[in-house]
């Protein structure tokens, strides 16, 4: 199917099916018409912003629709639009919208002998309806920040880390000793977190902590890597980046690097990002300030589907806010993050100490929410675990 002058797209909460054909060079039109109901205006605005950023010069218009469940009114709107553009080469992307909206649009376009296509987001392919030809692949690949912005969120991404060999060696030792280092590492986490509020990034050990052999061994690992220094019972971190790395950032970097290495093996794994700050729904129209801020530890796109990973090195069995422990809080957060990139967004919690996987109630909750868990000794083959859970054929 040749590229058409105009794509008429049915706007819904799922941005990807409308976005991919527009970004694909073989399918890219010269104009996009976003047909949206009053309930989908914000989604249309977000979609327009990404299209205009990625495809400068492409015209984007909006076609306001009546009640999304009024079949007759919808049909009239589509008929009128085609009547107003009798000579224009217009194709309908029928993937989005409500079911009734899609049926009305498709029947109008078919009656007027206009082309209709459907995007299979499971396989990144386009099916031209009414043709016997095989489905055609889409080559467009999104970035993590583009996927999030297309769904209406304000996004800030940090510069991706450059991890030295010394820090990789440190991380490898922590992973190798996952069965024995967890408790001491949890204490180091707490110390690093406490130092965050000190301008000098300084924290003092209690007498019991100072006398702990296991804690001393873990602190020595971080000190040998140049991340902190210990003078008596006082720890001083080299800088904020070092403090963050000690406070669990090392596990985020480990996951990030594992995914980067997997890209060579999986063509569909197209973008990996770490430390992505997201504000749900973009800025508040009343004051311009961001709302509902969250930070995603690691995110990546596989077959243009958003995958999110939370990394936990703390003791998840400890109490959190209210009656929930930290394990439950971690699952709550991931459940909220799963709303970010459409209904196909997938989530995982990487739990160094393995406490999330040890709770039957938490495992059940994670399973019901579709959240994968990789914990404890499974971290020694993190790439294998991610591949089996998410990157296998057909996933």
């Amino acid at each position: 199917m040749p590229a058409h002058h105009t794509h008429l797209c049915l706007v819904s909460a799922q941005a990807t099916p409308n976005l991919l054909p527009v970004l694909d060079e073989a399918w890219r039109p010269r104009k996009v018409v976003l047909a949206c109901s009053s309930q989908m205006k914000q989604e249309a605005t977000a979609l327009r912003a990404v299209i205009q950023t990625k495809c400068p010069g492409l015209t984007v218009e909006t076609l306001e629709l009546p009640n999304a469940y009024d079949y007759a009114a919808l049909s009239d709107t589509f008929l009128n639009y085609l009547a107003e553009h009798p000579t224009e080469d217009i194709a309908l992307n029928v993937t989005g919208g409500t079911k009734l909206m899609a049926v009305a649009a498709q029947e109008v376009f078919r009656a007027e002998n206009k082309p209709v296509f459907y995007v299979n987001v499971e396989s990144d392919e386009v099916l031209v309806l009414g043709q016997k030809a095989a489905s055609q692949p889409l080559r467009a690949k999104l970035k993590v920040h583009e996927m999030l912005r297309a769904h209406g969120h304000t996004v800030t991404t940090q510069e991706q880390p450059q991890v030295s060999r010394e820090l990789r060696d440190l991380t490898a030792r922590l992973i190798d000793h996952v069965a024995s280092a967890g408790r001491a590492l949890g204490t180091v986490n707490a110390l690093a977190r406490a130092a965050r509020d000190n301008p000098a990034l300084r924290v003092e050990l209690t007498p019991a902590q100072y006398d702990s052999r296991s804690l001393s061994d873990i602190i020595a690992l971080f000190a040998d890597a140049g991340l902190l220094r210990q003078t008596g019972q006082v720890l001083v971190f080299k800088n904020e980046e070092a403090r963050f790395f000690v406070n669990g950032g090392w596990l985020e970097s480990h996951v990030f690097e594992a995914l980067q290495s997997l890209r060579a093996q999986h063509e569909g794994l197209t973008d990996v990002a770490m430390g992505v700050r997201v504000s749900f729904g973009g800025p508040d129209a009343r004051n311009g300030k961001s709302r509902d801020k969250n930070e995603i530890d690691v995110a990546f796109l596989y077959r243009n589907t958003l995958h999110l990973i939370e990394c936990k090195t703390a003791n998840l069995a400890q109490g959190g806010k209210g009656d929930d422990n930290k394990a439950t809080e971690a699952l709550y957060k991931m459940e909220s993050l799963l709303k970010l990139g459409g209904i196909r967004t997938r989530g995982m919690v990487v739990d160094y100490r393995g406490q999330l996987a040890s709770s039957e109630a938490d495992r059940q909750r994670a399973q019901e929410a579709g959240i994968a868990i990789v914990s404890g000794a499974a971290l020694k083959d993190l790439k294998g675990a991610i591949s089996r859970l998410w990157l296998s054929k057909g996933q």
Side-chain angles (χ1 to χ4, degrees):
M1 174 175 162
H4 292 272
H5 179 280
T6 301
H7 286 185
L8 191 147
C9 303
L10 308 177
V11 178
S12 68
Q14 313 309 317
T16 311
N18 285 327
L19 192 57
L20 292 180
V22 176
L23 303 185
D24 192 290
E25 290 186 1
W27 285 81
R28 184 174 300 162
R30 282 177 279 176
K31 184 170 78 172
V32 174
V33 179
L34 301 176
C36 68
S37 62
S38 58
Q39 293 86 356
M40 289 290 124
K41 286 187 176 180
Q42 287 187 343
E43 287 77 2
T45 299
L47 195 56
R48 173 196 290 266
V50 174
I51 291 173
Q52 291 181 327
T53 299
K54 292 283 287 185
C55 307
L58 191 151
T59 301
V60 183
E61 298 177 355
T62 301
L63 174 63
E64 295 188 7
L65 298 178
N67 186 328
Y69 298 95
D70 186 335
Y71 179 82
L74 289 168
S75 296
D76 287 345
T77 302
F78 295 125
L79 275 170
N80 291 337
Y81 184 82
L82 292 182
E84 292 167 1
H85 303 80
T87 62
E88 194 168 317
D89 177 21
I90 305 174
L92 169 67
N93 182 344
V94 76
T95 320
T98 64
K99 289 183 179 180
L100 199 61
M101 189 188 301
V103 170
Q106 181 175 342
E107 290 193 355
V108 167
F109 270 68
R110 295 296 292 274
E112 297 296 318
N113 293 316
K114 296 288 188 179
V116 179
F117 65 90
Y118 176 86
V119 178
N120 183 348
V121 292
E122 299 288 343
S123 59
D124 284 347
E125 294 177 322
V126 174
L127 176 65
V128 181
L129 303 187
Q131 292 187 7
K132 294 182 179 180
S135 56
Q136 302 172 41
L138 287 168
R139 305 298 183 187
K141 304 299 179 186
L142 293 170
K143 298 290 187 181
V144 167
H145 68 89
E146 293 167 347
M147 174 68 78
L148 292 167
R149 286 171 179 148
H151 284 86
H153 309 301
T154 301
V155 184
T156 304
T157 56
Q158 70 175 37
E159 184 176 345
Q160 302 311 306
Q162 298 295 320
V163 181
S164 66
R165 176 181 294 181
E166 290 78 12
L167 295 184
R168 287 195 189 95
D169 290 343
L170 167 61
T171 297
R173 294 186 67 177
L174 293 173
I175 296 294
D176 286 341
H177 294 85
V178 64
S180 58
R183 190 169 187 174
L185 192 60
T187 302
V188 173
N189 270 357
L191 291 167
R193 190 163 53 250
R196 179 178 56 187
D197 299 325
N198 186 299
L201 299 178
R202 177 183 182 277
V203 66
E204 187 170 345
L205 280 66
T206 66
Q209 290 170 343
Y210 182 69
D211 291 335
S212 170
R213 176 64 181 272
S214 60
L215 181 59
S216 294
D217 290 344
I218 293 293
I219 290 174
L221 288 177
F222 288 114
D224 291 344
L227 298 169
L228 56 82
R229 70 177 188 273
Q230 180 175 3
T231 304
Q233 291 181 217
V234 176
L235 297 183
V236 180
F237 294 87
K238 179 181 178 180
N239 50 37
E240 172 55 27
E241 289 73 21
R243 189 209 63 79
F244 172 79
F245 192 87
V246 176
N247 190 196
W250 64 269
L251 183 57
E252 296 179 25
S253 295
H254 178 62
V255 173
F256 176 83
E257 292 211 319
L259 286 163
Q260 288 284 41
S261 67
L262 283 169
R263 292 181 67 176
Q265 305 169 31
H266 298 276
E267 182 182 358
L269 205 169
T270 53
D271 189 39
V272 185
M274 176 178 159
V276 182
R277 295 179 178 87
V278 182
S279 299
F280 287 19
D284 190 312
R286 293 170 296 181
N287 54 28
K289 295 181 179 180
S290 297
R291 303 175 291 189
D292 300 324
K293 294 181 181 178
N294 271 287
E295 180 165 325
I296 303 167
D297 292 341
V298 183
F300 70 94
L301 286 175
Y302 179 64
R303 295 179 179 172
N304 288 310
T305 295
L306 185 63
H307 293 68
L308 309 175
I309 301 178
E310 279 284 296
C311 302
K312 298 297 181 184
T313 57
N315 181 0
L316 296 184
Q318 289 181 341
K321 298 177 181 178
D323 296 329
D324 297 327
N325 61 22
K326 290 183 178 179
T328 303
E329 287 182 358
L331 293 177
Y332 275 139
K333 179 182 178 182
M334 180 52 70
E335 285 185 77
S336 69
L337 293 177
L338 287 176
K339 303 173 184 177
L340 287 174
I343 58 176
R344 298 180 68 236
T345 303
R346 309 184 76 174
M348 174 185 290
V349 178
V350 175
D351 172 24
Y352 177 78
R353 299 185 65 176
Q355 291 154 327
L356 187 58
S358 66
S359 165
E360 177 63 32
D362 288 330
R363 286 200 307 272
Q364 180 67 25
R365 181 182 183 87
Q367 183 177 7
E368 291 174 354
I371 299 171
I373 299 174
V374 176
S375 62
L379 269 66
K380 294 182 180 181
D381 184 24
L382 179 62
K383 289 192 291 185
I386 292 174
S387 296
R388 288 188 297 273
L389 288 165
W390 280 347
L391 309 181
S392 300
K393 187 176 181 179
Q395 295 297 311

Short mmCIF file of all heavy atoms in Angstrom, two decimals, residues 169-215:
data_model
loop_
_atom_site.label_atom_id
_atom_site.label_comp_id
_atom_site.label_asym_id
_atom_site.label_seq_id
_atom_site.Cartn_x
_atom_site.Cartn_y
_atom_site.Cartn_z
N ASP A 169 32.85 -4.06 38.70
CA ASP A 169 33.40 -5.11 39.56
C ASP A 169 32.74 -5.10 40.93
O ASP A 169 32.44 -6.16 41.50
CB ASP A 169 34.91 -4.93 39.72
CG ASP A 169 35.66 -5.22 38.43
OD1 ASP A 169 35.08 -5.86 37.52
OD2 ASP A 169 36.84 -4.81 38.33
N LEU A 170 32.51 -3.91 41.47
CA LEU A 170 31.83 -3.78 42.75
C LEU A 170 30.42 -4.37 42.67
O LEU A 170 30.00 -5.15 43.55
CB LEU A 170 31.76 -2.31 43.16
CG LEU A 170 30.82 -1.95 44.31
CD1 LEU A 170 31.23 -2.67 45.59
CD2 LEU A 170 30.79 -0.44 44.53
N THR A 171 29.70 -4.02 41.63
CA THR A 171 28.35 -4.53 41.45
C THR A 171 28.35 -6.05 41.33
O THR A 171 27.50 -6.74 41.91
CB THR A 171 27.69 -3.90 40.21
OG1 THR A 171 27.59 -2.49 40.42
CG2 THR A 171 26.31 -4.47 39.96
N ALA A 172 29.30 -6.59 40.56
CA ALA A 172 29.39 -8.04 40.40
C ALA A 172 29.61 -8.74 41.74
O ALA A 172 29.03 -9.80 42.00
CB ALA A 172 30.52 -8.38 39.43
N ARG A 173 30.42 -8.14 42.60
CA ARG A 173 30.66 -8.75 43.92
C ARG A 173 29.40 -8.71 44.78
O ARG A 173 29.09 -9.66 45.49
CB ARG A 173 31.81 -8.03 44.62
CG ARG A 173 33.15 -8.21 43.93
CD ARG A 173 34.29 -7.61 44.71
NE ARG A 173 34.53 -8.34 45.96
CZ ARG A 173 35.51 -8.07 46.82
NH1 ARG A 173 36.34 -7.06 46.54
NH2 ARG A 173 35.66 -8.76 47.92
N LEU A 174 28.65 -7.62 44.70
CA LEU A 174 27.40 -7.54 45.46
C LEU A 174 26.39 -8.57 44.96
O LEU A 174 25.67 -9.18 45.76
CB LEU A 174 26.82 -6.13 45.35
CG LEU A 174 27.63 -5.01 46.02
CD1 LEU A 174 27.04 -3.65 45.69
CD2 LEU A 174 27.69 -5.21 47.53
N ILE A 175 26.34 -8.77 43.65
CA ILE A 175 25.42 -9.77 43.10
C ILE A 175 25.88 -11.18 43.50
O ILE A 175 25.06 -12.03 43.86
CB ILE A 175 25.35 -9.66 41.56
CG1 ILE A 175 24.75 -8.30 41.15
CG2 ILE A 175 24.54 -10.81 40.97
CD1 ILE A 175 23.31 -8.11 41.54
N ASP A 176 27.18 -11.43 43.46
CA ASP A 176 27.69 -12.75 43.83
C ASP A 176 27.38 -13.11 45.28
O ASP A 176 27.21 -14.28 45.62
CB ASP A 176 29.21 -12.82 43.61
CG ASP A 176 29.57 -12.91 42.13
OD1 ASP A 176 28.69 -13.29 41.33
OD2 ASP A 176 30.73 -12.60 41.78
N HIS A 177 27.33 -12.09 46.14
CA HIS A 177 27.09 -12.32 47.57
C HIS A 177 25.65 -11.95 47.96
O HIS A 177 25.40 -11.56 49.10
CB HIS A 177 28.09 -11.51 48.40
CG HIS A 177 29.50 -11.98 48.24
ND1 HIS A 177 30.32 -11.54 47.23
CD2 HIS A 177 30.24 -12.88 48.96
CE1 HIS A 177 31.51 -12.13 47.32
NE2 HIS A 177 31.48 -12.94 48.37
N VAL A 178 24.73 -12.12 47.02
CA VAL A 178 23.34 -11.73 47.26
C VAL A 178 22.73 -12.46 48.45
O VAL A 178 21.90 -11.90 49.17
CB VAL A 178 22.49 -11.95 45.98
CG1 VAL A 178 22.42 -13.42 45.61
CG2 VAL A 178 21.11 -11.37 46.14
N ALA A 179 23.17 -13.68 48.71
CA ALA A 179 22.57 -14.46 49.80
C ALA A 179 23.03 -13.99 51.17
O ALA A 179 22.31 -14.16 52.17
CB ALA A 179 22.90 -15.94 49.63
N SER A 180 24.21 -13.36 51.25
CA SER A 180 24.76 -13.01 52.56
C SER A 180 24.90 -11.52 52.82
O SER A 180 25.00 -11.09 53.97
CB SER A 180 26.14 -13.67 52.73
OG SER A 180 27.02 -13.23 51.68
N ALA A 181 24.87 -10.71 51.75
CA ALA A 181 25.17 -9.28 51.92
C ALA A 181 23.94 -8.41 52.14
O ALA A 181 24.07 -7.23 52.46
CB ALA A 181 25.93 -8.77 50.69
N GLY A 182 22.75 -8.99 52.01
CA GLY A 182 21.54 -8.20 52.02
C GLY A 182 21.34 -7.35 53.25
O GLY A 182 21.02 -6.16 53.16
N ARG A 183 21.53 -7.95 54.42
CA ARG A 183 21.25 -7.21 55.66
C ARG A 183 22.20 -6.03 55.83
O ARG A 183 21.77 -4.91 56.14
CB ARG A 183 21.35 -8.16 56.85
CG ARG A 183 20.85 -7.56 58.14
CD ARG A 183 20.72 -8.62 59.20
NE ARG A 183 20.08 -8.10 60.41
CZ ARG A 183 19.75 -8.85 61.44
NH1 ARG A 183 19.99 -10.15 61.43
NH2 ARG A 183 19.19 -8.30 62.51
N ALA A 184 23.49 -6.27 55.63
CA ALA A 184 24.47 -5.19 55.78
C ALA A 184 24.24 -4.12 54.71
O ALA A 184 24.37 -2.92 54.98
CB ALA A 184 25.88 -5.75 55.68
N LEU A 185 23.89 -4.56 53.51
CA LEU A 185 23.66 -3.60 52.45
C LEU A 185 22.44 -2.73 52.75
O LEU A 185 22.42 -1.55 52.43
CB LEU A 185 23.45 -4.34 51.12
CG LEU A 185 23.47 -3.48 49.86
CD1 LEU A 185 24.81 -2.76 49.71
CD2 LEU A 185 23.18 -4.32 48.63
N GLY A 186 21.44 -3.33 53.40
CA GLY A 186 20.29 -2.54 53.82
C GLY A 186 20.68 -1.43 54.79
O GLY A 186 20.14 -0.32 54.72
N THR A 187 21.63 -1.72 55.67
CA THR A 187 22.11 -0.70 56.60
C THR A 187 22.85 0.40 55.86
O THR A 187 22.70 1.60 56.16
CB THR A 187 23.03 -1.34 57.66
OG1 THR A 187 22.32 -2.36 58.36
CG2 THR A 187 23.51 -0.29 58.66
N VAL A 188 23.67 0.01 54.87
CA VAL A 188 24.39 1.00 54.08
C VAL A 188 23.39 1.89 53.33
O VAL A 188 23.59 3.10 53.22
CB VAL A 188 25.36 0.31 53.10
CG1 VAL A 188 25.98 1.33 52.15
CG2 VAL A 188 26.45 -0.41 53.86
N ASN A 189 22.32 1.28 52.83
CA ASN A 189 21.26 2.06 52.18
C ASN A 189 20.74 3.15 53.10
O ASN A 189 20.57 4.31 52.71
CB ASN A 189 20.09 1.14 51.80
CG ASN A 189 20.23 0.56 50.41
OD1 ASN A 189 21.18 0.86 49.70
ND2 ASN A 189 19.32 -0.31 50.04
N ALA A 190 20.43 2.74 54.33
CA ALA A 190 19.87 3.69 55.30
C ALA A 190 20.87 4.80 55.61
O ALA A 190 20.49 5.97 55.75
CB ALA A 190 19.48 2.95 56.58
N LEU A 191 22.14 4.46 55.70
CA LEU A 191 23.17 5.47 55.98
C LEU A 191 23.29 6.45 54.80
O LEU A 191 23.40 7.67 55.00
CB LEU A 191 24.50 4.78 56.24
CG LEU A 191 24.59 3.97 57.56
CD1 LEU A 191 25.84 3.09 57.55
CD2 LEU A 191 24.60 4.91 58.76
N ALA A 192 23.28 5.91 53.59
CA ALA A 192 23.38 6.77 52.41
C ALA A 192 22.16 7.68 52.30
O ALA A 192 22.28 8.84 51.92
CB ALA A 192 23.53 5.92 51.15
N ARG A 193 21.01 7.14 52.65
CA ARG A 193 19.78 7.95 52.60
C ARG A 193 19.84 9.07 53.63
O ARG A 193 19.44 10.20 53.37
CB ARG A 193 18.57 7.04 52.85
CG ARG A 193 17.24 7.70 52.58
CD ARG A 193 16.13 6.65 52.45
NE ARG A 193 16.08 5.74 53.58
CZ ARG A 193 16.41 4.45 53.51
NH1 ARG A 193 16.85 3.94 52.37
NH2 ARG A 193 16.33 3.67 54.57
N ALA A 194 20.37 8.77 54.82
CA ALA A 194 20.48 9.79 55.87
C ALA A 194 21.47 10.88 55.46
O ALA A 194 21.28 12.06 55.79
CB ALA A 194 20.91 9.13 57.18
N ALA A 195 22.54 10.50 54.77
CA ALA A 195 23.55 11.48 54.36
C ALA A 195 23.02 12.47 53.33
O ALA A 195 23.58 13.56 53.17
CB ALA A 195 24.77 10.75 53.80
N ARG A 196 21.94 12.11 52.66
CA ARG A 196 21.39 13.00 51.63
C ARG A 196 20.97 14.34 52.22
O ARG A 196 21.05 15.38 51.55
CB ARG A 196 20.18 12.31 50.98
CG ARG A 196 19.48 13.13 49.92
CD ARG A 196 18.32 12.33 49.33
NE ARG A 196 17.39 11.88 50.36
CZ ARG A 196 16.38 11.05 50.14
NH1 ARG A 196 16.18 10.57 48.93
NH2 ARG A 196 15.57 10.71 51.13
N ASP A 197 20.56 14.36 53.47
CA ASP A 197 20.08 15.58 54.11
C ASP A 197 21.20 16.39 54.76
O ASP A 197 20.95 17.43 55.36
CB ASP A 197 19.02 15.23 55.16
CG ASP A 197 17.81 14.54 54.56
OD1 ASP A 197 17.45 14.89 53.42
OD2 ASP A 197 17.24 13.65 55.22
N ASN A 198 22.43 15.91 54.64
CA ASN A 198 23.58 16.61 55.20
C ASN A 198 24.35 17.31 54.08
O ASN A 198 24.76 16.65 53.12
CB ASN A 198 24.49 15.62 55.94
CG ASN A 198 25.62 16.30 56.68
OD1 ASN A 198 26.45 16.96 56.07
ND2 ASN A 198 25.67 16.12 57.98
N PRO A 199 24.56 18.62 54.16
CA PRO A 199 25.26 19.34 53.09
C PRO A 199 26.63 18.77 52.78
O PRO A 199 27.10 18.84 51.64
CB PRO A 199 25.36 20.77 53.63
CG PRO A 199 24.25 20.88 54.62
CD PRO A 199 24.11 19.53 55.24
N ALA A 200 27.27 18.18 53.78
CA ALA A 200 28.60 17.61 53.57
C ALA A 200 28.54 16.14 53.18
O ALA A 200 29.59 15.48 53.06
CB ALA A 200 29.44 17.76 54.85
N LEU A 201 27.32 15.60 52.98
CA LEU A 201 27.12 14.19 52.66
C LEU A 201 27.81 13.30 53.68
O LEU A 201 28.48 12.32 53.37
CB LEU A 201 27.63 13.88 51.24
CG LEU A 201 26.94 14.64 50.10
CD1 LEU A 201 27.57 14.27 48.77
CD2 LEU A 201 25.45 14.34 50.08
N ARG A 202 27.60 13.65 54.94
CA ARG A 202 28.29 13.01 56.07
C ARG A 202 27.26 12.33 56.96
O ARG A 202 26.16 12.83 57.18
CB ARG A 202 29.05 14.08 56.84
CG ARG A 202 29.78 13.64 58.09
CD ARG A 202 30.42 14.87 58.75
NE ARG A 202 31.18 14.52 59.93
CZ ARG A 202 30.66 14.34 61.14
NH1 ARG A 202 29.34 14.48 61.32
NH2 ARG A 202 31.44 14.04 62.17
N VAL A 203 27.60 11.14 57.47
CA VAL A 203 26.71 10.42 58.38
C VAL A 203 27.56 9.66 59.40
O VAL A 203 28.67 9.22 59.09
CB VAL A 203 25.79 9.46 57.59
CG1 VAL A 203 26.58 8.33 56.93
CG2 VAL A 203 24.70 8.90 58.48
N GLU A 204 27.03 9.52 60.59
CA GLU A 204 27.78 8.86 61.66
C GLU A 204 27.17 7.50 61.98
O GLU A 204 25.95 7.35 62.11
CB GLU A 204 27.79 9.73 62.91
CG GLU A 204 28.70 9.19 64.02
CD GLU A 204 28.89 10.19 65.15
OE1 GLU A 204 28.56 11.38 64.94
OE2 GLU A 204 29.37 9.78 66.23
N LEU A 205 28.03 6.49 62.12
CA LEU A 205 27.59 5.15 62.47
C LEU A 205 27.31 5.07 63.96
O LEU A 205 27.97 5.74 64.77
CB LEU A 205 28.65 4.10 62.11
CG LEU A 205 28.76 3.64 60.65
CD1 LEU A 205 29.21 4.76 59.73
CD2 LEU A 205 29.71 2.45 60.55
N THR A 206 26.34 4.25 64.33
CA THR A 206 26.11 3.96 65.75
C THR A 206 27.22 3.02 66.23
O THR A 206 27.90 2.38 65.41
CB THR A 206 24.76 3.29 65.96
OG1 THR A 206 24.79 2.00 65.34
CG2 THR A 206 23.63 4.13 65.37
N PRO A 207 27.43 2.91 67.55
CA PRO A 207 28.44 1.97 68.05
C PRO A 207 28.22 0.55 67.54
O PRO A 207 29.18 -0.15 67.20
CB PRO A 207 28.28 2.07 69.57
CG PRO A 207 27.79 3.47 69.78
CD PRO A 207 26.88 3.75 68.63
N ALA A 208 26.97 0.10 67.51
CA ALA A 208 26.69 -1.26 67.04
C ALA A 208 27.04 -1.41 65.56
O ALA A 208 27.59 -2.44 65.14
CB ALA A 208 25.22 -1.60 67.25
N GLN A 209 26.74 -0.39 64.76
CA GLN A 209 27.09 -0.44 63.34
C GLN A 209 28.61 -0.44 63.16
O GLN A 209 29.15 -1.17 62.32
CB GLN A 209 26.47 0.75 62.61
CG GLN A 209 24.95 0.68 62.49
CD GLN A 209 24.34 1.97 61.97
OE1 GLN A 209 24.99 3.03 61.99
NE2 GLN A 209 23.09 1.91 61.53
N TYR A 210 29.29 0.36 63.95
CA TYR A 210 30.74 0.45 63.86
C TYR A 210 31.41 -0.88 64.19
O TYR A 210 32.45 -1.24 63.61
CB TYR A 210 31.26 1.54 64.79
CG TYR A 210 32.75 1.75 64.74
CD1 TYR A 210 33.35 2.30 63.60
CD2 TYR A 210 33.56 1.40 65.82
CE1 TYR A 210 34.73 2.49 63.56
CE2 TYR A 210 34.93 1.59 65.77
CZ TYR A 210 35.51 2.13 64.64
OH TYR A 210 36.86 2.31 64.59
N ASP A 211 30.80 -1.63 65.09
CA ASP A 211 31.37 -2.91 65.52
C ASP A 211 30.96 -4.08 64.64
O ASP A 211 31.42 -5.22 64.85
CB ASP A 211 30.95 -3.21 66.97
CG ASP A 211 31.60 -2.26 67.97
OD1 ASP A 211 32.68 -1.72 67.64
OD2 ASP A 211 31.02 -2.05 69.06
N SER A 212 30.08 -3.86 63.67
CA SER A 212 29.60 -4.96 62.82
C SER A 212 30.62 -5.31 61.75
O SER A 212 30.98 -4.48 60.91
CB SER A 212 28.28 -4.56 62.15
OG SER A 212 27.91 -5.49 61.17
N ARG A 213 31.07 -6.56 61.77
CA ARG A 213 32.06 -7.01 60.80
C ARG A 213 31.48 -7.04 59.38
O ARG A 213 32.12 -6.60 58.41
CB ARG A 213 32.57 -8.40 61.18
CG ARG A 213 33.53 -9.04 60.19
CD ARG A 213 34.82 -8.23 60.09
NE ARG A 213 35.73 -8.82 59.12
CZ ARG A 213 36.62 -9.78 59.41
NH1 ARG A 213 36.69 -10.25 60.64
NH2 ARG A 213 37.42 -10.24 58.49
N SER A 214 30.25 -7.56 59.26
CA SER A 214 29.64 -7.65 57.93
C SER A 214 29.42 -6.27 57.33
O SER A 214 29.62 -6.06 56.13
CB SER A 214 28.33 -8.43 58.00
OG SER A 214 27.41 -7.79 58.87
N LEU A 215 29.01 -5.31 58.17
CA LEU A 215 28.81 -3.96 57.68
C LEU A 215 30.14 -3.33 57.27
O LEU A 215 30.23 -2.65 56.24
CB LEU A 215 28.12 -3.10 58.74
CG LEU A 215 27.82 -1.65 58.35
CD1 LEU A 215 26.92 -1.60 57.12
CD2 LEU A 215 27.17 -0.91 59.52
#
